[in-house]
Amino acid sequence: MRDDKMNEYGETLRINTIGRFLKSRFGHKVIKLSLDGGFTCPNRDGTCGTGGCLFCSSQGGGDFASSIPDQIHLLSRKWPDAEYIAYFQNHTNTYGPVEKLKKLYDQALFSPHVRGLAVATRPDCLPEDVLRLLSSYNEETFLWVELGLQTMHQTTAELINRGYGLSVYEEAMQNLRERGIPAVVHLILGLPGESRQDMIESARYVAASGAWGIKLHMLNVVKNSRMAQEMPNYVPFQSMDEYIDLVCDILEVLPPDMIVHRMTGDAPRPMLIAPAWSYRKRTILNGIQAELRRRDTWQGSSLEQSPDRH
């Protein structure tokens, strides 16, 4: 059923965003602090590959990450009364001894005004001892775990050098579900060789896998990535309108209760190669809202209209 809640401007809320969820849960503004825990990745150190994924920069997907004091100092200027989620973002943040993980996670949670923990990792980096550690945090604080799936399609997974198959992802999701740990799954839109329908199929697959949340990333071709070297002329989307239209199609097939954590992806402008306009994050997000209003649709609207729904 359509959610007719309104925002402060009297506009219908058409997307179940993480900002909306966190404000409802905590009663005020809660912001993620993007942290660099000093990890690497099994797809870089030779455990399952070298060089990282095709799209990944030398920063491991955390080009805006820094320390907790630096982040709070920066963000408190705009939101002086906000609280925070400590988000371990760069590379693979469960890839290490549990003693190291516990020390880093505890230090983050000990920081003033930090109310929870988010851990970005890979499905193939959740051994039993790490799952037990995450379960202990899940019992004590607000936690979610992020998994970088990127695509459900094996041909694309091999092209981007992902390093694991769908069965590994499915096992990781099952292990997290059994422990009641919320999972947020990353998809990248615009990967080479993928059609519009391929990307929508990946979104449907993530929803069916039991994910609590989803992140939709626009592929950015960035400097210091293998893609920049091997596909220097590749442009994921020819226009902003093309990307906005695709995201709206995907939102319409996501369950209304799924938490949408991200709808685009940006990179530092000095690093960005393509699309040249992807840094215009606010314009893209406003465009998504405007297109949903134009269509008079919302997250999950296609599911509600499907004759197969009961």
mmCIF file of all heavy atoms in Angstrom, residues 16-52:
data_model
loop_
_atom_site.group_PDB
_atom_site.id
_atom_site.type_symbol
_atom_site.label_atom_id
_atom_site.label_comp_id
_atom_site.label_asym_id
_atom_site.label_seq_id
_atom_site.Cartn_x
_atom_site.Cartn_y
_atom_site.Cartn_z
ATOM 1 N N ASN A 16 11.468 4.983 0.783
ATOM 2 C CA ASN A 16 11.739 4.635 2.180
ATOM 3 C C ASN A 16 13.245 4.760 2.436
ATOM 4 O O ASN A 16 13.974 3.777 2.440
ATOM 5 C CB ASN A 16 11.249 3.207 2.451
ATOM 6 C CG ASN A 16 11.246 2.867 3.931
ATOM 7 O OD1 ASN A 16 11.279 3.750 4.792
ATOM 8 N ND2 ASN A 16 11.227 1.586 4.234
ATOM 9 N N THR A 17 13.698 5.975 2.645
ATOM 10 C CA THR A 17 15.129 6.256 2.725
ATOM 11 C C THR A 17 15.694 5.957 4.110
ATOM 12 O O THR A 17 14.986 5.949 5.115
ATOM 13 C CB THR A 17 15.415 7.723 2.387
ATOM 14 O OG1 THR A 17 14.792 8.546 3.394
ATOM 15 C CG2 THR A 17 14.880 8.086 1.007
ATOM 16 N N ILE A 18 17.028 5.767 4.154
ATOM 17 C CA ILE A 18 17.698 5.531 5.426
ATOM 18 C C ILE A 18 17.606 6.752 6.331
ATOM 19 O O ILE A 18 17.470 6.612 7.555
ATOM 20 C CB ILE A 18 19.174 5.116 5.211
ATOM 21 C CG1 ILE A 18 19.853 4.792 6.544
ATOM 22 C CG2 ILE A 18 19.930 6.170 4.443
ATOM 23 C CD1 ILE A 18 19.228 3.662 7.325
ATOM 24 N N GLY A 19 17.645 7.953 5.773
ATOM 25 C CA GLY A 19 17.514 9.145 6.597
ATOM 26 C C GLY A 19 16.186 9.188 7.316
ATOM 27 O O GLY A 19 16.105 9.501 8.516
ATOM 28 N N ARG A 20 15.151 8.851 6.592
ATOM 29 C CA ARG A 20 13.805 8.806 7.172
ATOM 30 C C ARG A 20 13.727 7.727 8.249
ATOM 31 O O ARG A 20 13.166 7.939 9.330
ATOM 32 C CB ARG A 20 12.805 8.537 6.058
ATOM 33 C CG ARG A 20 11.384 8.264 6.493
ATOM 34 C CD ARG A 20 10.544 7.970 5.263
ATOM 35 N NE ARG A 20 9.250 7.416 5.606
ATOM 36 C CZ ARG A 20 8.405 6.916 4.730
ATOM 37 N NH1 ARG A 20 8.711 6.907 3.452
ATOM 38 N NH2 ARG A 20 7.245 6.428 5.112
ATOM 39 N N PHE A 21 14.310 6.544 7.977
ATOM 40 C CA PHE A 21 14.285 5.443 8.949
ATOM 41 C C PHE A 21 15.009 5.829 10.229
ATOM 42 O O PHE A 21 14.506 5.609 11.336
ATOM 43 C CB PHE A 21 14.920 4.195 8.336
ATOM 44 C CG PHE A 21 15.114 3.084 9.331
ATOM 45 C CD1 PHE A 21 14.086 2.193 9.602
ATOM 46 C CD2 PHE A 21 16.319 2.950 10.018
ATOM 47 C CE1 PHE A 21 14.258 1.179 10.537
ATOM 48 C CE2 PHE A 21 16.501 1.942 10.951
ATOM 49 C CZ PHE A 21 15.471 1.048 11.211
ATOM 50 N N LEU A 22 16.219 6.398 10.099
ATOM 51 C CA LEU A 22 17.007 6.722 11.278
ATOM 52 C C LEU A 22 16.338 7.805 12.122
ATOM 53 O O LEU A 22 16.357 7.736 13.354
ATOM 54 C CB LEU A 22 18.403 7.161 10.864
ATOM 55 C CG LEU A 22 19.304 6.059 10.289
ATOM 56 C CD1 LEU A 22 20.607 6.654 9.764
ATOM 57 C CD2 LEU A 22 19.593 4.981 11.321
ATOM 58 N N LYS A 23 15.750 8.781 11.478
ATOM 59 C CA LYS A 23 15.068 9.827 12.241
ATOM 60 C C LYS A 23 13.869 9.260 12.991
ATOM 61 O O LYS A 23 13.596 9.639 14.139
ATOM 62 C CB LYS A 23 14.629 10.960 11.315
ATOM 63 C CG LYS A 23 14.083 12.158 12.081
ATOM 64 C CD LYS A 23 13.904 13.359 11.183
ATOM 65 C CE LYS A 23 13.458 14.577 11.989
ATOM 66 N NZ LYS A 23 13.292 15.774 11.144
ATOM 67 N N SER A 24 13.169 8.313 12.357
ATOM 68 C CA SER A 24 12.034 7.675 13.024
ATOM 69 C C SER A 24 12.500 6.841 14.216
ATOM 70 O O SER A 24 11.870 6.848 15.276
ATOM 71 C CB SER A 24 11.276 6.792 12.029
ATOM 72 O OG SER A 24 10.263 6.067 12.667
ATOM 73 N N ARG A 25 13.618 6.136 14.062
ATOM 74 C CA ARG A 25 14.106 5.257 15.128
ATOM 75 C C ARG A 25 14.676 6.042 16.304
ATOM 76 O O ARG A 25 14.423 5.717 17.470
ATOM 77 C CB ARG A 25 15.169 4.303 14.587
ATOM 78 C CG ARG A 25 15.727 3.358 15.652
ATOM 79 C CD ARG A 25 16.820 2.476 15.098
ATOM 80 N NE ARG A 25 17.396 1.638 16.135
ATOM 81 C CZ ARG A 25 17.019 0.403 16.424
ATOM 82 N NH1 ARG A 25 16.040 -0.157 15.713
ATOM 83 N NH2 ARG A 25 17.599 -0.284 17.386
ATOM 84 N N PHE A 26 15.463 7.067 16.002
ATOM 85 C CA PHE A 26 16.180 7.782 17.061
ATOM 86 C C PHE A 26 15.524 9.101 17.465
ATOM 87 O O PHE A 26 15.895 9.683 18.473
ATOM 88 C CB PHE A 26 17.623 8.033 16.636
ATOM 89 C CG PHE A 26 18.441 6.773 16.522
ATOM 90 C CD1 PHE A 26 18.715 6.214 15.278
ATOM 91 C CD2 PHE A 26 18.924 6.141 17.654
ATOM 92 C CE1 PHE A 26 19.466 5.052 15.166
ATOM 93 C CE2 PHE A 26 19.670 4.977 17.558
ATOM 94 C CZ PHE A 26 19.944 4.424 16.318
ATOM 95 N N GLY A 27 14.611 9.596 16.650
ATOM 96 C CA GLY A 27 13.889 10.811 17.002
ATOM 97 C C GLY A 27 14.579 12.098 16.610
ATOM 98 O O GLY A 27 14.078 13.179 16.908
ATOM 99 N N HIS A 28 15.729 11.999 15.938
ATOM 100 C CA HIS A 28 16.454 13.188 15.508
ATOM 101 C C HIS A 28 17.420 12.789 14.400
ATOM 102 O O HIS A 28 17.513 11.632 14.024
ATOM 103 C CB HIS A 28 17.205 13.835 16.679
ATOM 104 C CG HIS A 28 18.028 12.864 17.454
ATOM 105 N ND1 HIS A 28 17.605 12.316 18.627
ATOM 106 C CD2 HIS A 28 19.242 12.309 17.202
ATOM 107 C CE1 HIS A 28 18.519 11.473 19.081
ATOM 108 N NE2 HIS A 28 19.518 11.448 18.228
ATOM 109 N N LYS A 29 18.184 13.765 13.918
ATOM 110 C CA LYS A 29 19.101 13.536 12.814
ATOM 111 C C LYS A 29 20.235 12.591 13.237
ATOM 112 O O LYS A 29 20.900 12.812 14.252
ATOM 113 C CB LYS A 29 19.695 14.875 12.355
ATOM 114 C CG LYS A 29 20.627 14.782 11.154
ATOM 115 C CD LYS A 29 19.860 14.587 9.869
ATOM 116 C CE LYS A 29 20.755 14.689 8.653
ATOM 117 N NZ LYS A 29 20.028 14.460 7.399
ATOM 118 N N VAL A 30 20.442 11.541 12.427
ATOM 119 C CA VAL A 30 21.551 10.617 12.639
ATOM 120 C C VAL A 30 22.318 10.503 11.327
ATOM 121 O O VAL A 30 21.724 10.282 10.269
ATOM 122 C CB VAL A 30 21.063 9.231 13.110
ATOM 123 C CG1 VAL A 30 22.235 8.263 13.234
ATOM 124 C CG2 VAL A 30 20.327 9.342 14.438
ATOM 125 N N ILE A 31 23.642 10.654 11.386
ATOM 126 C CA ILE A 31 24.483 10.719 10.199
ATOM 127 C C ILE A 31 25.551 9.643 10.270
ATOM 128 O O ILE A 31 26.082 9.342 11.346
ATOM 129 C CB ILE A 31 25.176 12.095 10.100
ATOM 130 C CG1 ILE A 31 24.166 13.233 10.251
ATOM 131 C CG2 ILE A 31 25.941 12.236 8.786
ATOM 132 C CD1 ILE A 31 24.802 14.582 10.467
ATOM 133 N N LYS A 32 25.896 9.076 9.130
ATOM 134 C CA LYS A 32 26.986 8.114 9.069
ATOM 135 C C LYS A 32 28.338 8.843 9.044
ATOM 136 O O LYS A 32 28.500 9.826 8.325
ATOM 137 C CB LYS A 32 26.868 7.238 7.827
ATOM 138 C CG LYS A 32 25.754 6.228 7.865
ATOM 139 C CD LYS A 32 25.817 5.295 6.677
ATOM 140 C CE LYS A 32 25.812 6.051 5.361
ATOM 141 N NZ LYS A 32 25.916 5.174 4.190
ATOM 142 N N LEU A 33 29.280 8.308 9.812
ATOM 143 C CA LEU A 33 30.661 8.759 9.763
ATOM 144 C C LEU A 33 31.439 7.743 8.933
ATOM 145 O O LEU A 33 31.584 6.588 9.327
ATOM 146 C CB LEU A 33 31.252 8.828 11.173
ATOM 147 C CG LEU A 33 30.535 9.723 12.180
ATOM 148 C CD1 LEU A 33 31.161 9.549 13.561
ATOM 149 C CD2 LEU A 33 30.603 11.176 11.743
ATOM 150 N N SER A 34 31.937 8.154 7.779
ATOM 151 C CA SER A 34 32.651 7.235 6.885
ATOM 152 C C SER A 34 34.089 7.082 7.358
ATOM 153 O O SER A 34 34.872 8.036 7.299
ATOM 154 C CB SER A 34 32.608 7.769 5.447
ATOM 155 O OG SER A 34 31.275 7.809 4.977
ATOM 156 N N LEU A 35 34.437 5.871 7.806
ATOM 157 C CA LEU A 35 35.716 5.633 8.476
ATOM 158 C C LEU A 35 36.620 4.712 7.672
ATOM 159 O O LEU A 35 36.150 3.801 6.987
ATOM 160 C CB LEU A 35 35.470 5.011 9.855
ATOM 161 C CG LEU A 35 34.491 5.752 10.760
ATOM 162 C CD1 LEU A 35 34.315 4.983 12.064
ATOM 163 C CD2 LEU A 35 34.978 7.176 11.039
ATOM 164 N N ASP A 36 37.909 4.946 7.809
ATOM 165 C CA ASP A 36 38.931 4.088 7.219
ATOM 166 C C ASP A 36 39.589 3.308 8.345
ATOM 167 O O ASP A 36 40.320 3.873 9.158
ATOM 168 C CB ASP A 36 39.962 4.946 6.485
ATOM 169 C CG ASP A 36 41.028 4.114 5.781
ATOM 170 O OD1 ASP A 36 41.077 2.888 5.999
ATOM 171 O OD2 ASP A 36 41.808 4.703 5.017
ATOM 172 N N GLY A 37 39.291 1.991 8.406
ATOM 173 C CA GLY A 37 39.837 1.156 9.470
ATOM 174 C C GLY A 37 41.198 0.568 9.156
ATOM 175 O O GLY A 37 41.725 -0.232 9.938
ATOM 176 N N GLY A 38 41.767 0.929 8.007
ATOM 177 C CA GLY A 38 43.084 0.431 7.649
ATOM 178 C C GLY A 38 43.085 -0.983 7.100
ATOM 179 O O GLY A 38 44.117 -1.664 7.152
ATOM 180 N N PHE A 39 41.949 -1.422 6.558
ATOM 181 C CA PHE A 39 41.852 -2.775 6.024
ATOM 182 C C PHE A 39 42.305 -2.831 4.568
ATOM 183 O O PHE A 39 42.378 -1.817 3.876
ATOM 184 C CB PHE A 39 40.406 -3.270 6.111
ATOM 185 C CG PHE A 39 39.906 -3.471 7.506
ATOM 186 C CD1 PHE A 39 39.222 -2.454 8.164
ATOM 187 C CD2 PHE A 39 40.126 -4.665 8.164
ATOM 188 C CE1 PHE A 39 38.754 -2.628 9.455
ATOM 189 C CE2 PHE A 39 39.660 -4.853 9.463
ATOM 190 C CZ PHE A 39 38.975 -3.836 10.113
ATOM 191 N N THR A 40 42.572 -4.043 4.113
ATOM 192 C CA THR A 40 42.757 -4.298 2.692
ATOM 193 C C THR A 40 41.616 -5.206 2.236
ATOM 194 O O THR A 40 40.549 -5.220 2.853
ATOM 195 C CB THR A 40 44.146 -4.907 2.397
ATOM 196 O OG1 THR A 40 44.286 -5.038 0.973
ATOM 197 C CG2 THR A 40 44.345 -6.251 3.066
ATOM 198 N N CYS A 41 41.849 -5.982 1.168
ATOM 199 C CA CYS A 41 40.785 -6.781 0.580
ATOM 200 C C CYS A 41 41.389 -8.072 0.032
ATOM 201 O O CYS A 41 42.508 -8.043 -0.504
ATOM 202 C CB CYS A 41 40.132 -5.972 -0.546
ATOM 203 S SG CYS A 41 38.957 -6.887 -1.549
ATOM 204 N N PRO A 42 40.697 -9.200 0.162
ATOM 205 C CA PRO A 42 41.232 -10.456 -0.387
ATOM 206 C C PRO A 42 41.341 -10.450 -1.901
ATOM 207 O O PRO A 42 42.005 -11.310 -2.475
ATOM 208 C CB PRO A 42 40.229 -11.504 0.094
ATOM 209 C CG PRO A 42 38.963 -10.751 0.333
ATOM 210 C CD PRO A 42 39.396 -9.403 0.827
ATOM 211 N N ASN A 43 40.710 -9.462 -2.514
ATOM 212 C CA ASN A 43 40.802 -9.328 -3.967
ATOM 213 C C ASN A 43 41.958 -8.411 -4.367
ATOM 214 O O ASN A 43 42.112 -8.080 -5.536
ATOM 215 C CB ASN A 43 39.480 -8.775 -4.519
ATOM 216 C CG ASN A 43 39.216 -9.205 -5.939
ATOM 217 O OD1 ASN A 43 39.918 -10.054 -6.480
ATOM 218 N ND2 ASN A 43 38.209 -8.622 -6.559
ATOM 219 N N ARG A 44 42.750 -8.009 -3.369
ATOM 220 C CA ARG A 44 43.925 -7.179 -3.627
ATOM 221 C C ARG A 44 45.219 -7.857 -3.155
ATOM 222 O O ARG A 44 46.278 -7.667 -3.756
ATOM 223 C CB ARG A 44 43.791 -5.821 -2.920
ATOM 224 C CG ARG A 44 42.797 -4.885 -3.580
ATOM 225 C CD ARG A 44 42.726 -3.564 -2.843
ATOM 226 N NE ARG A 44 41.851 -2.639 -3.537
ATOM 227 C CZ ARG A 44 42.236 -1.799 -4.482
ATOM 228 N NH1 ARG A 44 43.510 -1.766 -4.849
ATOM 229 N NH2 ARG A 44 41.381 -0.989 -5.071
ATOM 230 N N ASP A 45 45.123 -8.616 -2.069
ATOM 231 C CA ASP A 45 46.348 -9.152 -1.469
ATOM 232 C C ASP A 45 46.717 -10.538 -1.973
ATOM 233 O O ASP A 45 47.663 -11.149 -1.477
ATOM 234 C CB ASP A 45 46.252 -9.141 0.060
ATOM 235 C CG ASP A 45 45.230 -10.138 0.610
ATOM 236 O OD1 ASP A 45 44.629 -10.896 -0.170
ATOM 237 O OD2 ASP A 45 45.043 -10.156 1.843
ATOM 238 N N GLY A 46 45.961 -11.052 -2.958
ATOM 239 C CA GLY A 46 46.283 -12.335 -3.543
ATOM 240 C C GLY A 46 45.514 -13.505 -2.980
ATOM 241 O O GLY A 46 45.618 -14.626 -3.494
ATOM 242 N N THR A 47 44.716 -13.294 -1.927
ATOM 243 C CA THR A 47 43.949 -14.396 -1.350
ATOM 244 C C THR A 47 42.965 -14.967 -2.364
ATOM 245 O O THR A 47 42.856 -16.180 -2.539
ATOM 246 C CB THR A 47 43.202 -13.935 -0.086
ATOM 247 O OG1 THR A 47 44.164 -13.470 0.863
ATOM 248 C CG2 THR A 47 42.395 -15.071 0.519
ATOM 249 N N CYS A 48 42.221 -14.093 -3.037
ATOM 250 C CA CYS A 48 41.343 -14.566 -4.112
ATOM 251 C C CYS A 48 41.586 -13.807 -5.408
ATOM 252 O O CYS A 48 40.956 -14.086 -6.421
ATOM 253 C CB CYS A 48 39.868 -14.482 -3.712
ATOM 254 S SG CYS A 48 39.181 -12.823 -3.656
ATOM 255 N N GLY A 49 42.481 -12.831 -5.389
ATOM 256 C CA GLY A 49 42.783 -12.069 -6.595
ATOM 257 C C GLY A 49 43.730 -10.932 -6.284
ATOM 258 O O GLY A 49 44.108 -10.702 -5.129
ATOM 259 N N THR A 50 44.101 -10.206 -7.310
ATOM 260 C CA THR A 50 44.955 -9.031 -7.148
ATOM 261 C C THR A 50 44.390 -7.887 -7.980
ATOM 262 O O THR A 50 43.656 -8.107 -8.937
ATOM 263 C CB THR A 50 46.401 -9.316 -7.602
ATOM 264 O OG1 THR A 50 46.383 -9.739 -8.968
ATOM 265 C CG2 THR A 50 47.046 -10.392 -6.741
ATOM 266 N N GLY A 51 44.734 -6.688 -7.587
ATOM 267 C CA GLY A 51 44.307 -5.527 -8.357
ATOM 268 C C GLY A 51 42.947 -4.990 -8.003
ATOM 269 O O GLY A 51 42.565 -3.906 -8.438
ATOM 270 N N GLY A 52 42.177 -5.738 -7.185
ATOM 271 C CA GLY A 52 40.849 -5.277 -6.810
ATOM 272 C C GLY A 52 39.838 -5.430 -7.918
ATOM 273 O O GLY A 52 40.142 -5.910 -9.018
#
